[in-house]
Amino acid sequence: MSKYRVNVCLAPSALTDVERALAEAMAPFDMNRGDDFDPDATWDWYRVDAGRQRFAVNPRHDGDPRLIHADPVVVGTPHEPLRCDGGPRGLLDFDACRRAARAEALTYWEAQMRDFERLVADHPPAEPLTAFLARHAADPEGYPRRQAVDDHHAQPLIKALNHQSVFERYPSLGAWVLGPDTDPITIYTRDPRPGFELAETWAVARAALLTLDGEWTGIKPYSPDPDEESDTFARRSTAYLEGLDEDCVVVRLLCHC
């Protein structure tokens, strides 16, 4: 079982009864419709709930009664100024969503860098996995890949990231599960700019999109041929939402499957 979010697009008339309009739009993808397996079914319950990724509201429309908000009792968080879970597209500020996503990604990266600098200061220097793999490539038989990975993992700094105590001393880094391709050094020393751009790419898009025409794209949990949750999908989804008429309604739902 898992949860994910979908942006649902509705006609302007949906504002007269949003719950009913959502029920009609979502009905074709209901897992509870019958006993037969349906690969196109995508949810067994849903609710209006954008979570931490609420839509930004254009300041001149703050407080507009057409804005849609999740029940604060159900979701456990109060309404926020200039944020909502849906509404007419013209009331939403997608550029502000992108700015907020980039700022959040930058803040998180800076916190990681502070913790990584402390981690490096607390342990002997460590090499990235790529350095060990280069030695393996130079002598595949004398230095097997498995040995290269083991030697990378044996470094005290890498071992520290694999221990639960990392949460206490370096909370922004988190505990790493070490696998054959795990390379924390490369992750924490890479150029962060693509990550900021990726945050902007996903600032408006979610895992799935339900269009005005009733087409579901994005994640399809039980489909034998699901759409990939890719950056290409995110850009296509965002472009679709930006191209809607200003009075069309967009609502962000939390789905369970």
Side-chain angles (χ1 to χ4, degrees), residues 80-99:
E80 301 174 87
L82 296 177
R83 291 291 184 271
C84 68
D85 298 82
R89 201 273 303 165
L91 276 59
L92 309 180
D93 190 339
F94 291 165
D95 285 338
C97 290
R98 283 185 277 266
R99 290 194 298 271

Side-chain angles (χ1 to χ4, degrees), residues 185-222:
I185 305 300
T186 297
I187 293 295
Y188 292 131
T189 57
R190 74 187 188 280
D191 181 356
R193 288 173 295 183
F196 304 153
E197 295 169 2
L198 183 62
E200 288 186 352
T201 297
W202 283 97
V204 176
R206 292 297 94 188
L209 171 72
L210 181 54
T211 69
L212 285 173
D213 296 330
E215 180 185 5
W216 183 289
T217 59
I219 189 171
K220 296 178 182 177
Y222 294 103

